[in-house]
């Protein structure tokens, strides 16, 4: 399996790149007999800055020489900028058979192949490299890529870690002393270090083994009503989902009741292969408080206003209520109180005449203490105050006869107009306050 095309962003020229000292290790395959020329040598290089210029004193260049017989082969390696130079000698000897009376054999295990995936942090599968088991070096197994460009081996030099040699876009390493595949493969330097994640799986490379994810998000409009919904494919289902960087997982891809903030979304399949994305939900604006106000605008006029102005689409459903009360003490033969309230909504009057409140009885002396009271209640339900609504009104109050007519006589009409109830509609994160005057008028 070869390398898939990939677009790599150029490295920031001001970025700091750490370079390891360059080391070269010889990997030899001896010829089958002293007279044979079927041996080969190859050089494993790490550190410095690839690509490397490798020349052989016996002639030729490149990391590998083939069709060799018994002898010493001298290699000189110079890194890309000429900052580091290394020399190594690869010695080939003829294989010999020794017969003894007893034989002690230690069989080292043969490892399966590895597949190394380079995945862009947006979840797309960007590049794959397949490695085949290639014997032992420094007491540890090695792997060589199927295109013979890269080697995975354990370096016993200054690094003491697993290295992938020959990679031209930074150093690939893993400090875990266990045998690959491992978690924790990293780039050092190069443009891939900030944009790609390395995953190594045992076995041959397969189509789409990595997890791809897409995310739909809804920032909260009020409090904590935000949501994140994850859609995943690839890998090996079933998936587990996390929005806290993998601290906890759940089987459902839906996360609701979320506040504004940053979330680290992780999807994990049954092989513990993961894909990660960062998601930001915007915080909602603070709650807005609105006031619906009934206020006097003159001796016999009023209006209803809302402050501040309602947003587009929002409205207030409210009810106006009018109480008319007539008190007489003590009464003459007849006394009347007439009260009429007119509500004008967007220029259209809504008139509700109150009936005459009448009290009729025989006159009582001042010391009788008799009092009479009549009450009338009128309601305007289902009123709507929306964007651009205007509400005004007038009222009349007439008491007959006008007091005082006789000693100790009293006739008083009292009207009370107020907003009885109010509810905000289609307004997220909104509060409502009702403001009424104490009494509209007295006579």
């Amino acid at each position: 399996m070869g390398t898939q095309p990939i677009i790599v962003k150029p490295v920031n020229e001001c970025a700091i790149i750490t370079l390891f000292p360059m080391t070269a290790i010889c990997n030899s395959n001896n010829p089958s007999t002293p007279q044979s020329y079927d041996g080969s040598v190859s050089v494993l290089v790490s550190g410095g800055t690839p690509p490397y210029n490798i020349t052989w004193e016996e002639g030729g260049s490149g990391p590998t020489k083939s069709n060799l017989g018994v002898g010493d082969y001298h290699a000189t390696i110079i890194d890309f900028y000429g900052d580091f130079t290394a020399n190594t000698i690869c010695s080939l000897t003829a294989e010999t058979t020794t017969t003894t009376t007893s034989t002690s054999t230690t069989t080292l295990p043969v490892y399966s192949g590895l597949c190394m995936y380079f995945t862009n942090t947006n979840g797309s599968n960007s590049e794959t490299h397949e490695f085949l088991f290639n014997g032992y070096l420094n007491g540890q197994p090695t792997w060589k890529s199927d295109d013979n460009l890269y080697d995975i081996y354990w370096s016993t030099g200054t690094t003491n870690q697993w290295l992938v040699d020959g990679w031209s876009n930074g150093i690939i390493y893993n400090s875990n002393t266990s045998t690959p595949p491992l978690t924790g493969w990293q780039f050092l330097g190069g443009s891939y270090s900030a944009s790609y994640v390395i995953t190594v799986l045992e076995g041959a490379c397969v189509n789409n083994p990595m997890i791809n994810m897409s995310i739909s998000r809804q920032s909260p409009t009020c409090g904590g009503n935000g949501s994140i919904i994850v859609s995943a494919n690839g890998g090996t289902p079933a998936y587990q989902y996390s929005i806290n960087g993998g601290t906890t997982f759940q089987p459902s891809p839906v996360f609701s009741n979320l506040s504004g903030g940053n979330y680290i979304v992780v999807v994990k399949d049954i092989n513990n292969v993961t894909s990660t994305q960062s998601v930001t939900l915007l915080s909602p604006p603070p709650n807005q408080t609105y006031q619906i106000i009934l206020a006097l605008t003159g001796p016999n006029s009023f209006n209803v206003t809302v402050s501040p102005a309602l947003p587009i689409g929002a409205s207030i459903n409210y009810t106006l209520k009018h109480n008319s009360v007539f008190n007489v003490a003590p009464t003459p033969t007849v006394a009347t109180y007439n009260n009429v309230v007119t509500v004008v909504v967007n220029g259209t009057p809504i008139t509700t005449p109150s009936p005459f409140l009448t009290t009729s009885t025989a006159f009582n002396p001042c010391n009788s203490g008799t009092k009479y009271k009549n009450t009338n209640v009128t309601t305007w339900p289902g009123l709507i105050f929306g964007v651009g609504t205007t509400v005004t009104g007038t009222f009349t109050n007439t008491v007959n006869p006008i007091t005082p007519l006789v000693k100790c006589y009293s006739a008083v009409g009292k009207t009370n107009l107020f907003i009885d109830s109010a509810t905000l509609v289609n307004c997220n994160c909104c509060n409502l306050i009702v403001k009424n005057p104490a009494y509209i008028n007295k006579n």
Side-chain angles (χ1 to χ4, degrees), residues 201-227:
L201 300 178
E202 189 173 2
C205 296
V206 298
N207 291 330
N208 199 22
M210 305 307 297
I211 299 173
N212 304 321
M213 77 164 89
S214 61
I215 295 176
S216 60
R217 73 201 76 183
Q218 178 63 56
S219 293
T221 57
C222 184
N225 64 348
S227 64

Side-chain angles (χ1 to χ4, degrees), residues 374-393:
N374 279 345
T375 301
N376 182 63
V377 178
T378 305
T379 302
W380 291 264
L383 298 177
I384 299 175
F385 197 109
V387 177
T389 299
T390 60
V391 180
T392 60

Side-chain angles (χ1 to χ4, degrees), residues 120-272:
N120 198 304
T121 52
N122 66 12
S124 61
N125 185 20
S126 302
E127 190 170 330
T128 61
H129 292 279
E130 188 163 352
F131 289 81
L132 304 176
F133 176 66
N134 194 41
Y136 283 80
L137 179 68
N138 300 325
Q140 294 283 3
T142 66
W143 290 263
K144 181 179 287 291
S145 64
D146 59 352
D147 54 10
N148 292 320
L149 294 178
Y150 314 111
D151 291 271
I152 299 176
Y153 68 98
W154 176 260
S155 173
T156 58
T158 59
T159 58
N160 287 317
Q161 57 195 353
W162 293 99
L163 295 177
V164 181
D165 79 302
W167 182 254
S168 60
N169 207 316
I171 296 174
I172 302 175
Y173 69 97
N174 195 320
S175 299
N176 192 326
T177 59
S178 302
T179 301
L182 308 168
T183 59
W185 287 93
Q186 300 181 51
F187 283 105
L188 181 64
S191 61
Y192 276 21
S193 59
S195 303
Y196 288 81
V197 175
I198 304 175
T199 304
V200 176
L201 300 178
E202 189 173 2
C205 296
V206 298
N207 291 330
N208 199 22
M210 305 307 297
I211 299 173
N212 304 321
M213 77 164 89
S214 61
I215 295 176
S216 60
R217 73 201 76 183
Q218 178 63 56
S219 293
T221 57
C222 184
N225 64 348
S227 64
I228 292 175
I229 301 177
V230 186
S231 177
N233 60 73
T236 306
Y239 307 115
Q240 294 284 315
Y241 305 88
S242 171
I243 59 171
N244 55 16
T247 301
T248 58
F249 284 89
Q250 68 178 40
S252 171
V254 179
F255 298 86
S256 55
N257 301 320
L258 302 180
S259 301
N262 296 321
Y263 296 87
I264 306 300
V265 179
V266 180
V267 179
K268 177 176 65 174
D269 72 355
I270 60 175
N271 293 322
N272 291 322

